[in-house]
Amino acid sequence: MKDVLSVIAELKGLRHLTPAKKTDVFLAECALDVRFAEDYKTYVEAYGVITARGVEITGISDFPRLSVVSVTEREREYNPQFPADMYVIESSGAEGLVVAQNADGQIFYIQPGRAPKKKFGSLADFLSVLQKDL
């Protein structure tokens, strides 16, 4: 199993922003009242935010569309059943589907009115499958 940074490095068409500082990561966790998974922290501290062939993974950014804080807050407003202990890593926009992660690193698909569905055990697993789909 590859680690998250190895998987990201292999993504085709990879673009990223400025790496996040540990302080910014901590402030984002405080703003959302969540604890980020270790692999998510590793990712944002190395890349800030990534996009690959049109898929955007949230991170630490001043751009609301890419900011984990802004996107998660917006999802919490839109979907009152969104789990308080999770944060959005990708918002597809299709049928209200978002991809979220919990502090243990597990990845869930969430849609309004439906129970969260666990899909992957880690961010690296999610990105590995995403890479194949791209």
Side-chain angles (χ1 to χ4, degrees), residues 10-73:
E10 293 176 0
L11 291 173
K12 292 178 175 65
L14 177 67
R15 293 170 165 224
H16 64 88
L17 297 180
T18 306
K21 297 178 179 143
K22 288 185 186 297
T23 306
D24 295 327
V25 175
F26 174 75
L27 291 172
E29 288 177 308
C30 290
L32 294 173
D33 195 25
V34 297
R35 186 172 51 89
F36 293 145
E38 289 304 315
D39 60 354
Y40 189 80
K41 290 181 194 181
T42 298
Y43 145 63
V44 296
E45 289 172 5
Y47 290 97
V49 170
I50 63 169
T51 66
R53 294 178 60 188
V55 176
E56 300 172 337
I57 305 300
T58 66
I60 307 299
S61 172
D62 291 333
F63 299 104
R65 187 183 89 247
L66 302 173
S67 165
V68 66
V69 173
S70 296
V71 174
T72 301
E73 288 175 341

